[in-house]
Amino acid sequence: MGLGGISVWQLLIVLVIVILLFGTKKLRSLGGDLGSAIKNFKTSVREGENTDNDDVSINHNNDNSTQTTEKDKTSS
């Protein structure tokens, strides 16, 4: 017995059918496209995290500047 009740022979039969339907060139290009899509997604997520960190520091700096002006107004 293999993965989740699927035997190795059943997996091989499905693999052969997929190869016959699509061909090796189509599967190779599909795999390359899928790999580049995953790579682009990961870089976008990393850039998004960096942008979020920059936004937090900018907001933090803006909060400090407004606090100083409020203190200046009350002390004047």
Side-chain angles (χ1 to χ4, degrees):
M1 186 145 311
L3 305 168
I6 299 175
S7 71
V8 176
W9 289 109
Q10 291 171 334
L11 289 174
L12 287 174
I13 291 171
V14 170
L15 180 64
V16 168
I17 291 171
V18 168
I19 289 174
L20 288 175
L21 286 175
F22 296 108
T24 55
K25 289 182 182 179
K26 182 72 172 176
L27 289 177
R28 189 177 301 134
S29 67
L30 182 65
D33 292 342
L34 182 64
S36 64
I38 291 172
K39 183 179 176 181
N40 289 334
F41 177 75
K42 286 182 179 180
T43 55
S44 297
V45 168
R46 285 189 199 123
E47 289 174 359
E49 288 174 352
N50 291 339
T51 304
D52 289 343
N53 290 338
D54 293 342
D55 289 343
V56 169
S57 64
I58 290 171
N59 289 338
H60 183 68
N61 290 336
N62 288 340
D63 290 341
N64 288 339
S65 64
T66 56
Q67 288 174 355
T68 4
T69 33
E70 289 173 7
K71 288 179 184 178
D72 292 337
K73 287 179 183 178
T74 56
S75 61
S76 306

